[in-house]
Amino acid sequence: MQTHKSLPSHTTQWATLMSRSHKPSKISAVAAPVRPALKHQNKIHSMPPEKIEIFKSLDGWATDQILPLLKPIDQCWQPASFLPDPALPFSEFTDQVCELRERTASLPDEYFVVLVGDMITEDALPTYQTMINTLDGVRDETGASQSAWAKWTRAWTAEENRHGDLLRTYLYLSGRVDMLMVERTVQHLISSGMVSINLFILVLNF
Ligand SMILES: [Fe+2]
């Protein structure tokens, strides 16, 4: 199963490679090796028809009880709130960038291994949304379905998307990570896809 399990091994590779360098500012992350494409697997239904009906019958309940838990978007933090402000005059913006780089210059390599691992995990959100939409009873049938489950999936994806955006920009500005290699890894990860229906069944208690 080509799933999250691949991430720790990538992270271990980075940790090993980065540990060879004792120069804090040296870029030392490398792209993960290309893995063979996933073998096609037959569609596995996540639940029997009677359970699908239960989830569909709970749509009204989810609309009333679950969707109100979503924080309105204009009350959510956004990545720009934590990053140098490009709308400032150029010198002030570059001062903020310099401050960020000074703060990150002394951070241990291990911090960046973790942050890169987090960023890559977040950047595979298209894969996670795809996986959720393979699940019977809760999938987004149209891409803009008004079912409570579909609304929740889209809102969760949108919320999570901020995390990767923040990490990506922070790492980019730090100059401590080889972004080209990281971005290639993300492209490999998303293009490879993932088969983890059992994981989602476990996580979501379906
Ligand atoms: Fe996240």
Side-chain angles (χ1 to χ4, degrees), residues 118 122 125 156 159-161 163-164:
D118 285 350
E122 300 282 0
L125 269 175
W156 175 83
E159 182 188 299
E160 287 292 325
N161 188 59
H163 306 168

Side-chain angles (χ1 to χ4, degrees), residues 53-86:
E53 288 308 310
I54 291 174
F55 271 90
K56 289 188 173 174
S57 73
L58 287 171
D59 196 83
W61 172 83
T63 298
D64 295 337
Q65 303 296 323
I66 301 295
L67 294 185
L69 299 176
L70 294 168
K71 187 184 285 187
I73 291 175
D74 58 6
Q75 294 177 24
C76 292
W77 63 263
Q78 297 298 335
S81 306
F82 298 96
L83 295 164
D85 183 359

Side-chain angles (χ1 to χ4, degrees), residues 1-7 36-39 41 120-121 124-132 134 156 188-200:
M1 186 165 64
Q2 192 104 345
T3 67
H4 299 289
K5 286 180 178 177
S6 62
L7 290 174
L38 289 174
K39 260 180 87 173
Q41 297 188 14
I120 290 175
T121 305
L125 269 175
T127 302
Y128 311 144
Q129 189 171 19
T130 298
M131 291 309 303
I132 292 172
T134 66
W156 175 83
H188 281 304
L189 179 62
I190 297 175
S191 63
S192 294
M194 183 172 75
V195 178
S196 67
I197 198 162
N198 291 332
L199 171 69
F200 277 98

Side-chain angles (χ1 to χ4, degrees), residues 10-21 28-31 109:
H10 293 178
T11 305
T12 303
Q13 284 181 315
W14 290 321
T16 303
L17 287 162
M18 294 181 88
S19 68
R20 293 174 188 161
S21 170
S28 43
V30 300
D109 284 351

